[in-house]
C-alpha cells in the first residue's frame, strides 16, 4: 500500500553557480539555422563555397591556380586545388556548426564555421569529393528525418594518378534557379583580383569584366552601382540587412 509521506524540498545554496546555456532539440535548432540565417540563400552559397575554394588554394600555396566553377546545368560544381580534407577534419570541423580552421590566420576569409553548411539553406543534400594524401573520399551531406545534418561516407579508395589533391563541392540546382546561380557566382568572384587572387575559371558562363573606372598600384575606383564595400575581393552591399 502507498504510505502517506510529507514531501520535502531541500534546495542547497546556489549563489555563485555558473549555468551554461545549451542548445536542446538539435534537429529543430539546425532547421532554424538553415532556414533563417540567410536572406539570400543562392547568393550566400555562391559567395561562401567559392570563397572556401579560394582559401583552400591559398592554404596550399596555389593562389596562381584558378578555382574551377561549373555554372549549372543540373549542378553547381566548385573545385579547388587545395590540400584536400582529411577524415578527421571532415568530422571535427566541416560537419560541426561553429567550428572553423580559419580563426588563427588573416590569410583566409570566414572563421565562423558556417560557410561550408550554406548549401543546406537551399537543398537537403549535396556532395563532397576530396583527395587528401593519396586517398579519394566521396561524402553525401544530407538532412535526415530528424532534421539533423549528417555526413555519409559513400566511397573511399586510393586516388588515381590523374586525381590531384583538392576538393569538389557538388550542389544540385533547380532549373528555375540556374540563371540566378550564374549571376551570383559571377558577381561574387569577379573582384578576386583586387585581393591578389587568380580569377576563377568559369565553365558554362562568360566571365563579366569588373566595372572598374580607374586603378592605381594600391587603389581602385569602381563604377557606382549602389552603396557597397569590397572585403577580401567580395562585394557587400551597405544597405543589406
Amino acid at each position: 500500500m502507498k504510505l502517506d509521506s510529507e514531501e520535502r524540498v531541500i534546495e542547497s545554496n546556489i549563489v555563485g553557480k555558473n549555468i551554461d546555456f545549451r542548445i536542446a532539440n538539435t534537429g529543430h535548432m539546425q532547421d532554424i539555422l538553415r532556414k533563417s540565417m540567410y536572406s539570400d540563400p543562392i547568393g550566400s552559397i555562391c559567395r561562401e563555397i567559392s570563397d572556401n575554394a579560394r582559401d583552400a588554394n591559398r592554404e596550399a600555396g596555389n593562389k596562381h591556380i584558378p578555382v574551377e566553377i561549373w555554372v549549372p546545368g543540373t549542378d553547381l560544381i566548385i573545385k579547388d586545388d587545395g590540400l584536400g580534407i582529411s577524415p578527421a577534419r571532415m568530422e571535427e570541423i566541416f560537419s560541426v556548426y561553429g567550428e572553423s580552421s580559419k580563426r588563427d590566420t588573416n590569410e583566409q576569409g570566414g572563421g565562423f564555421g558556417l560557410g561550408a553548411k550554406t548549401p543546406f539553406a537551399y537543398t537537403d543534400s549535396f556532395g563532397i569529393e576530396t583527395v587528401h594524401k593519396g586517398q579519394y573520399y566521396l561524402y553525401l551531406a544530407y538532412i535526415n528525418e530528424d532534421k539533423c545534418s549528417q555526413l555519409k561516407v559513400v566511397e573511399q579508395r586510393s586516388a588515381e594518378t590523374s586525381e590531384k589533391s583538392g576538393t569538389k563541392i557538388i550542389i544540385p540546382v533547380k532549373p528555375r534557379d540556374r540563371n540566378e546561380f550564374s549571376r551570383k557566382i559571377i558577381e561574387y568572384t569577379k573582384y578576386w583580383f583586387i585581393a591578389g587572387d587568380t580569377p576563377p575559371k568559369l565553365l558554362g558562363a562568360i566571365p563579366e569584366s569588373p566595372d572598374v573606372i580607374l586603378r592605381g598600384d594600391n587603389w581602385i575606383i569602381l563604377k557606382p552601382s549602389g552603396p557597397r564595400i569590397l572585403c577580401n575581393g567580395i562585394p557587400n552591399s551597405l544597405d543589406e540587412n
Side-chain angles (χ1 to χ4, degrees):
M1 94 184 141
K2 184 175 181 180
L3 300 175
D4 290 334
S5 61
E6 180 182 351
E7 183 177 351
R8 297 182 181 180
V9 178
I10 301 175
E11 293 185 0
S12 60
N13 189 341
I14 62 172
V15 174
K17 179 180 180 181
N18 291 317
I19 302 173
D20 292 334
F21 279 81
R22 294 171 293 168
I23 297 178
N25 195 338
T26 304
H28 175 68
M29 292 305 299
Q30 287 187 17
D31 198 44
I32 291 175
L33 282 173
R34 287 190 294 269
K35 295 179 179 178
S36 305
M37 185 174 298
Y38 303 105
S39 60
D40 177 14
I42 292 176
S44 298
I45 291 166
C46 293
R47 180 185 65 244
E48 298 294 335
I49 302 303
S50 63
D51 192 40
N52 283 350
R54 177 174 58 158
D55 281 342
N57 279 12
R58 288 173 171 176
E59 183 183 18
N62 289 330
K63 289 181 66 171
H64 62 289
I65 300 178
V67 169
E68 294 185 4
I69 302 175
W70 285 260
V71 175
T74 55
D75 300 313
L76 170 67
I77 302 174
I78 299 178
K79 177 183 176 296
D80 65 57
D81 282 83
L83 302 173
I85 307 174
S86 69
R89 197 167 181 174
M90 286 294 291
E91 184 172 352
E92 297 169 6
I93 295 178
F94 188 99
S95 64
V96 181
Y97 285 87
E99 285 292 346
S100 175
S101 61
K102 302 180 182 181
R103 293 192 182 123
D104 297 324
T105 176
N106 287 323
E107 297 300 316
Q108 299 178 341
F112 295 102
L114 298 171
K117 293 83 171 174
T118 50
F120 282 137
Y122 175 80
T123 181
D124 285 346
S125 64
F126 63 99
I128 305 109
E129 292 185 21
T130 190
V131 176
H132 175 74
K133 292 187 175 179
Q135 289 291 306
Y136 168 93
Y137 304 90
L138 173 62
Y139 296 86
L140 175 67
Y142 68 99
I143 307 300
N144 68 16
E145 58 186 13
D146 296 320
K147 296 184 179 180
C148 289
S149 311
Q150 288 193 320
L151 270 177
K152 181 178 182 179
V153 183
V154 178
E155 183 181 355
Q156 177 184 354
R157 57 174 169 77
S158 296
E160 298 176 4
T161 305
S162 60
E163 295 174 318
K164 299 186 297 181
S165 294
T167 300
K168 181 186 294 183
I169 307 296
I170 306 157
I171 303 163
V173 172
K174 300 177 182 71
R176 67 174 182 267
D177 295 328
R178 290 173 185 170
N179 289 338
E180 181 70 358
F181 269 95
S182 297
R183 187 176 72 82
K184 291 294 176 68
I185 276 290
I186 291 171
E187 175 66 17
Y188 284 117
T189 62
K190 67 181 179 180
Y191 300 108
W192 282 4
F193 72 94
I194 294 175
D197 296 288
T198 302
K201 180 179 181 180
L202 299 181
L203 303 167
I206 299 175
E208 186 177 299
S209 298
D211 38 7
V212 176
I213 295 177
L214 199 61
R215 75 176 70 182
D217 291 337
N218 297 305
W219 54 270
I220 189 166
I221 299 176
L222 300 173
K223 184 184 299 182
S225 60
R228 59 181 173 164
I229 187 170
L230 290 175
C231 181
N232 196 25
I234 299 174
N236 295 274
S237 174
L238 296 181
D239 57 6
E240 287 180 351
N241 293 328

